[in-house]
Amino acid sequence: MKGRTIVLDHIENREAAALMVDGKLDDFLIATDAPAPGTIYRARADRPVKGQGGMFLTTPDGPAFLRQVKGLAPGAQLLVQVTGYAEPGKALPVTDRVLFKSRYAIVTPDAPGLNISRSIRDEDERDRLLEIAHESMEGSEFGLILRSCCQGENAAEIAEDIGTMRAHADQVLNDPGTEPEQLLEGDGPHVLAWRDWTDPAEVVTQPGSFETHGVLDALDVALGISEPLPGGGYLFVQPTRALVAVDVNTGADTSLAAGTKANFACAKMLARALRVRGLGGQITLDLAPMPKKDRRGFEASLRAAFKADSIETTLAGWTPLGHYELQRKRGRIPLSEVLK
């Protein structure tokens, strides 16, 4: 099955969204019981963490942790936004730089100015979008970023999106409350799919579509530890308490180039494998044997794959034992924990 298909359905009574690309599961979002990234709280500063420059905060959904904070005294009230999921027993990760993000627009209260995505290079189109931005943000001190998917889109739809995000920002920043409170709930999977999967795609919403479009079969693979590599071999992905271990196996191929082929195949599909499984933290790759001269090409392929990924990942490099390490933001709860 060629092309892109967005499938909106439910699994185990949880709202979920799947992105299928050429018949393969490319991304998967599912509702969890934890506060979703994007949720905004009015929080209360609780206690500083000496040596880390951070502060524990009180929210209605439990403790949160704000990094690199200065001049914040215990008891002070502030707005914070959830940036990811907490590991078991740890505080919610939050930021004090709140954003209001939708499909076309991002309203930035802390960063004034009107900006157009740099990927839009046509000057006439940039002028058109800037005019829409000026009209929609007139009288507001908030900043605005128009995303790349605005290119060629209907002006009324873009303006409506800007207006909705501006209204959310006005409501949250002018809320008169004085106690810790949730002021805006983070987007669920169906809204996130509309917001972030912006490339042209067929959209399927009928109940039971996960089964008819192969999503359930793909999830069975993602919930296991092994996944076949294109051209032969296997990728084994095993989360542990400390890290995610990834082993590259050449399978039945015993040729001299087998290790290099399998490693390059891993580089191309690793971002998708981690994204679908919802895995983050420290990632350690135990690669198949390959000549050191091929390492640079492997890194370039890995870098290209993660550049297109939606979750921030740092390529840390090689270890003395020849493993390769990455550090990935915990932007999701592992699929295996949600679908137990």
Side-chain angles (χ1 to χ4, degrees):
M1 185 187 299
K2 296 293 184 180
R4 293 168 59 90
T5 305
I6 295 173
V7 188
L8 307 180
D9 203 349
H10 290 74
I11 185 169
E12 296 186 0
N13 296 318
R14 295 179 184 272
E15 183 179 293
L19 175 62
M20 303 294 288
V21 178
D22 296 335
K24 295 183 178 181
L25 183 61
D26 190 76
D27 204 350
F28 185 75
L29 305 169
I30 187 167
T32 73
D33 298 327
T39 298
I40 297 177
Y41 297 108
R42 180 174 49 250
R44 183 175 60 243
D46 188 1
R47 57 184 176 86
V49 181
K50 294 182 179 180
Q52 294 187 29
M55 176 78 75
F56 280 106
L57 313 174
T58 297
T59 80
D61 293 322
F65 184 69
L66 178 63
R67 296 182 179 276
Q68 297 176 338
V69 61
K70 294 181 180 179
L72 184 63
Q77 302 276 349
L78 71 161
L79 293 179
V80 294
Q81 188 167 39
V82 178
T83 59
Y85 289 101
E87 296 179 65
K90 293 191 176 181
L92 282 170
V94 296
T95 177
D96 58 355
R97 298 181 66 84
V98 298
L99 300 174
F100 298 84
K101 184 177 180 180
S102 190
R103 182 180 179 92
Y104 298 118
I106 304 173
V107 169
T108 58
D110 296 324
L114 305 180
N115 299 279
I116 312 297
S117 169
R118 292 180 181 177
S119 64
I120 301 176
R121 297 178 180 176
D122 182 89
E123 289 301 325
D124 290 339
E125 179 66 1
R126 293 183 68 86
D127 289 343
R128 181 184 80 95
L129 294 175
L130 197 58
E131 184 176 344
I132 297 170
H134 275 292
E135 291 178 357
S136 301
M137 296 298 290
E138 185 177 2
S140 175
E141 296 181 353
F142 300 151
L144 175 72
I145 301 170
L146 289 184
R147 304 177 66 194
S148 59
C149 60
C150 288
Q151 185 160 0
E153 294 296 327
N154 181 273
E157 292 183 5
I158 297 172
E160 181 181 2
D161 214 22
I162 297 172
T164 300
M165 292 302 100
R166 177 178 171 178
H168 283 331
D170 281 326
Q171 180 180 356
V172 168
L173 270 69
N174 294 311
D175 188 277
T178 57
E179 293 297 321
E181 182 182 352
Q182 183 189 100
L183 301 178
L184 186 70
E185 186 176 4
D187 292 330
H190 290 181
V191 173
L192 280 175
W194 171 79
R195 191 187 86 181
D196 292 338
W197 298 343
T198 56
D199 289 342
E202 176 190 4
V203 179
V204 180
T205 60
Q206 290 84 0
S209 295
F210 278 172
E211 182 172 4
T212 58
H213 284 72
V215 176
L216 295 183
D217 290 339
L219 289 176
D220 284 341
V221 174
L223 287 168
I225 65 170
S226 68
E227 188 163 341
L229 290 169
Y234 291 89
L235 195 67
F236 292 87
V237 183
Q238 293 183 277
T240 72
R241 184 173 180 85
L243 51 82
V244 176
V246 178
D247 179 64
V248 180
N249 191 297
T250 60
D253 190 347
T254 58
S255 67
L256 290 176
T260 299
K261 286 165 50 181
N263 291 339
F264 274 71
C266 163
K268 291 179 180 179
M269 69 176 291
L270 182 61
R272 183 193 63 79
L274 296 174
R275 183 169 63 242
V276 167
R277 289 167 171 79
L279 297 176
Q282 182 180 328
I283 318 290
T284 299
L285 310 184
D286 184 9
L287 298 167
M290 73 175 176
K292 284 191 175 181
K293 65 181 179 63
D294 291 330
R295 285 186 172 185
R296 181 172 295 181
F298 169 81
E299 287 186 76
S301 182
L302 198 64
R303 189 174 295 108
F306 279 101
K307 185 177 181 180
D309 189 44
S310 58
I311 298 178
E312 181 183 343
T313 303
T314 300
L315 306 186
W318 300 93
T319 72
L321 292 178
H323 297 145
Y324 195 86
E325 293 185 331
L326 308 91
Q327 186 69 35
R328 185 170 172 85
K329 181 179 177 181
R330 297 183 187 275
R332 301 177 183 179
I333 290 182
L335 184 64
S336 58
E337 294 184 13
V338 182
L339 300 178
K340 293 180 179 179

